[in-house]
Amino acid sequence: MARPFRRPTRTITENVHGVDVAYDVPDTTPVIRLPFNLDAALRRVLFAFAIVMTIGAIIWGTVAIGGMLTLLAPPWAAYLVAGVFDAGWAACLVAEWILRYDSKRADAPRAVGVGLLAVSMAAIITHGSLSGPWGWIVGIVGALVSAAAKGVWAIGMYTIRVQLAPKYEAYLRARQQQVGTEQALALGERDLALMKDRTVKLRLALEARNGSAVTTVDQPAVQPQSTPVHASDQPVDQIEAIPEPATVHPVQAAVNRPVQTEDQVNELLRRLKLGEHITKPRAAEILGVSETTAYRRLTAAQALLNQYR
């Protein structure tokens, strides 16, 4: 069933006896339409012709060059490689379009595109000359198809290219370099964070497989110095030093064996189950190890805790 025509509406908000209400009414505002832009329409037609001619040139060049290469290679490989030349100068056209506001950087894809076009035209003429006495004429006509497509693209690019003043080109290039640098730094920081995460996971996997801690380049934990405490009624020569804090070992560790990685992880897991909030420095203090090692133990304990939940 055909849907009924819906007229445009607009919402009005009013206060009725102290209550805000919103309702829709027909929108009678005249719609202002832009006048027909003949230049924009002709520009679209121009580039449509350029695209169609480029597709035709690529097909003709692939067929011609592929037919010549079949003398030395299987047909599937010959025709696959034959499209490289025309596809190459077509890709240079795309790059030239992207860099149309930067004349210096656009020179490189423009020159490479012309070179690939020349190679493609030469290959098409060579293929025509191998076809018979008058084949070279067919080859020249076929090569002119690619030249015509390239020429139409050049005219189209000329119609849309804006020649910026040198100072504005320098400004645009400086802004692009600034944004590109920020993006590169952000990607580098992301890669660094991913590498650190993979390193921690790899060490945890190796420790779980070997049953012992993996040797790492960690800074030794700094043990607090004992500071003498002097009471008010105590002679100076009888000052006693505060005993150094003993390292807290996991309760599951046996007395006559060294502390294992599993013991440290289990100790942190036990504290996490009791609801204790453990940070990396706190884990290093509990286990008496460096913060890097404590972070790996804490990560493993949190993973086990999530499994239990």
Side-chain angles (χ1 to χ4, degrees):
M1 184 177 64
R3 299 180 59 183
F5 176 74
R6 299 185 60 181
R7 296 181 179 273
T9 60
R10 57 189 179 95
T11 303
I12 297 179
T13 303
E14 292 185 358
N15 187 282
V16 181
H17 300 295
V19 179
D20 293 333
V21 295
Y23 57 95
D24 296 334
V25 297
D27 189 1
T28 58
T29 304
V31 179
I32 301 177
R33 299 183 181 276
L34 296 176
F36 177 72
N37 191 341
L38 180 60
D39 293 342
L42 291 177
R43 188 178 295 112
R44 286 194 292 267
V45 172
L46 173 62
F47 281 102
F49 283 154
I51 293 174
V52 172
M53 294 176 65
T54 302
I55 295 175
I58 292 175
I59 294 175
W60 177 260
T62 303
V63 171
I65 301 174
M68 181 177 59
L69 294 179
T70 51
L71 300 175
L72 300 175
W76 66 268
Y79 288 103
L80 180 64
V81 175
V84 171
F85 300 103
D86 289 302
W89 66 260
C92 291
L93 291 175
V94 177
E96 186 179 352
W97 173 280
I98 296 174
L99 299 174
R100 62 187 181 275
Y101 298 124
D102 194 340
S103 58
K104 293 183 179 180
R105 297 175 62 191
D107 290 339
R110 187 182 301 113
V112 174
V114 172
L116 292 175
L117 177 63
V119 173
S120 176
M121 293 176 62
I124 294 174
I125 295 175
T126 303
H127 172 263
S129 64
L130 297 176
S131 301
W134 298 94
W136 60 273
I137 300 179
V138 178
I140 292 176
V141 174
L144 291 178
V145 174
S146 298
K150 175 69 175 179
V152 173
W153 269 107
I155 294 174
M157 294 295 297
Y158 182 78
T159 60
I160 65 170
R161 184 179 293 111
V162 178
Q163 188 67 30
L164 298 178
K167 63 177 181 180
Y168 293 113
E169 280 194 1
Y171 169 76
L172 179 61
R173 192 176 302 109
R175 290 288 298 159
Q176 291 174 344
Q177 291 177 353
Q178 180 182 1
V179 175
T181 302
E182 294 177 358
Q183 182 180 10
L185 291 176
L187 292 175
E189 293 176 357
R190 184 198 64 176
D191 294 339
L192 182 60
L194 292 176
M195 289 175 61
K196 289 182 178 179
D197 184 63
R198 287 194 295 266
T199 301
V200 172
K201 292 180 179 180
L202 178 60
R203 288 176 176 172
L204 290 174
L206 292 175
E207 292 177 5
R209 175 181 296 181
N210 300 331
S212 60
V214 178
T215 303
T216 57
V217 183
D218 297 334
Q219 297 294 332
V222 179
Q223 298 294 338
Q225 301 268 340
S226 59
T227 304
V229 179
H230 184 203
S232 58
D233 56 349
Q234 184 180 16
V236 178
D237 56 352
Q238 295 183 5
I239 297 176
E240 296 181 356
I242 299 177
E244 296 183 357
T247 302
V248 180
H249 296 287
V251 295
Q252 291 84 353
V255 178
N256 296 326
R257 71 178 179 87
V259 178
Q260 300 293 329
T261 302
E262 292 79 3
D263 300 330
Q264 296 176 340
V265 174
N266 291 334
E267 172 64 15
L268 295 177
L269 178 62
R270 183 184 67 82
R271 291 174 178 264
L272 291 174
K273 287 182 178 180
L274 295 176
E276 182 176 349
H277 177 68
I278 303 177
T279 60
K280 184 168 65 174
R282 175 58 179 161
E285 180 183 354
I286 293 173
L287 302 178
V289 296
S290 65
E291 291 189 359
T292 304
T293 304
Y295 175 72
R296 297 199 302 271
R297 306 294 187 270
L298 181 59
T299 303
Q302 291 174 344
L304 292 175
L305 182 63
N306 293 333
Q307 292 180 359
Y308 293 146
R309 292 178 178 177

